[in-house]
Amino acid sequence: MVKNGEDSGAYTLRVEGLSRVFGTKVAVDGVSFSAKEGEIFGVVGPNGAGKTTTVRMLTTLLPPTSGVAWIMGFNIVTEPSLARRYIGYVPQAVSVDGYLTGYENLMIFAKLSGVPRKCRKERIDEILQFLGLQDAAHQLVRYYSGGMVRRLEIGQALLTRPNLLFLDEPTVGLDPVARRSVWDMLKGIRTGQSLSILITTHYMEEAESLCDRVGIMNQGKLVTVGSPEELKRATGRTDATLEDAFRFFTQESYDEGGSFRELRRTRRFARRLG
Ligand SMILES: Nc1ncnc2c1ncn2[C@@H]1O[C@H](COP(=O)(O)OP(=O)(O)OP(=O)(O)O)[C@@H](O)[C@H]1O
Ligand SMILES: [Mg+2]
């Protein structure tokens, strides 16, 4: 239920002037946007743009230096425990234990996150089926492929039946086939549901394939927000890609060299799971 009041509106998430400063570094600089019920909203930007810092503030893990956001009408700064009830979060780093089975990971998370005892088994079975992981449910996660691990992490975040799911760089380090399996799963989740999803990514094709609306983030600022089509059209070119739109709005190149190579190293499932 959305809390009534002038700040709630029809949005699952509203963000106003959110900023975070670390020492002299302005990591997030006055970010404002909203996400509607059932919408997949993408925050797109290169290394160091401020995506993870934004997500950490919105998930109440990091206090903002200034600004505010409301989740289902609850203020993340003054009512963080209420706001938290409505969110699921899949962090950039690996969030499951490789030395437990998929089923055990889900059961432990269900217990820790307060899923009532009588619903746990049913919800876990439902999620395993949805993830296509029934056959692997009782294998150790360290033997899962990267795509399976990622799907399990997303399933874990859905156990509490959130209204808003945060996914920070969900497909970094995955091969194209595994990436597509995660996209298909995310498209499946939203079918017929009121769940909103906020996804951060530096893959333009991911934003284009998944997101209803995209915010382009660069150097801490949200430069523009629109549907992928609107952003591409704004460039004035009929054959423009989302990458062209990024360049158009930021006046910067968005090549896959340099810092992107570094970013790919940040998530190597197999190695990190043992
Ligand atoms: N705890 C911290 N202390 C100091 N600086 C930080 C801290 N966390 C983030 N930063 C800096 O803030 C900026 C934004 O970082 P952030 O991790 O939010 O970017 P990002 O868009 O998620 O990047 P990536 O694509 O690499 O995940 C970077 O310059 C980073 O070095
Ligand atoms: Mg990040």
Side-chain angles (χ1 to χ4, degrees), residues 188-205:
I189 299 177
R190 62 182 306 208
T191 308
Q193 289 212 28
S194 57
L195 177 72
S196 306
I197 300 177
L198 187 144
I199 176 172
T200 75
T201 184
H202 71 277
Y203 293 121
M204 294 295 181
E205 49 174 330

Side-chain angles (χ1 to χ4, degrees), residues 22 25 27 45-54 56 92 169 263:
F22 296 109
K25 169 84 193 171
N47 247 183
K51 305 181 296 295
T52 296
T53 306
T54 301
R56 289 180 64 213
Q92 195 165 350
E169 300 270 5
L263 189 140

Side-chain angles (χ1 to χ4, degrees), residues 3 9 15-16 32 34 62 89 107 124 128 144-145 151 162 164 167 178 187 191 199 203 206 208 211 243 252 271:
K3 187 179 150 189
V15 184
E16 265 181 33
S32 302
S34 312
L62 182 73
Y89 173 40
M107 184 52 89
I124 290 172
L128 283 168
Y144 281 22
S145 69
R151 296 207 303 275
L164 177 57
L167 300 169
K187 286 175 186 168
T191 308
I199 176 172
Y203 293 121
E206 180 156 276
E208 192 146 11
C211 299
E243 221 165 294
E252 283 188 28
R271 271 183 227 159

Side-chain angles (χ1 to χ4, degrees), residues 13-32:
L13 172 67
R14 277 187 53 207
V15 184
E16 265 181 33
L18 203 64
S19 297
R20 176 69 203 203
V21 179
F22 296 109
T24 55
K25 169 84 193 171
V26 184
V28 176
D29 192 358
V31 163
S32 302

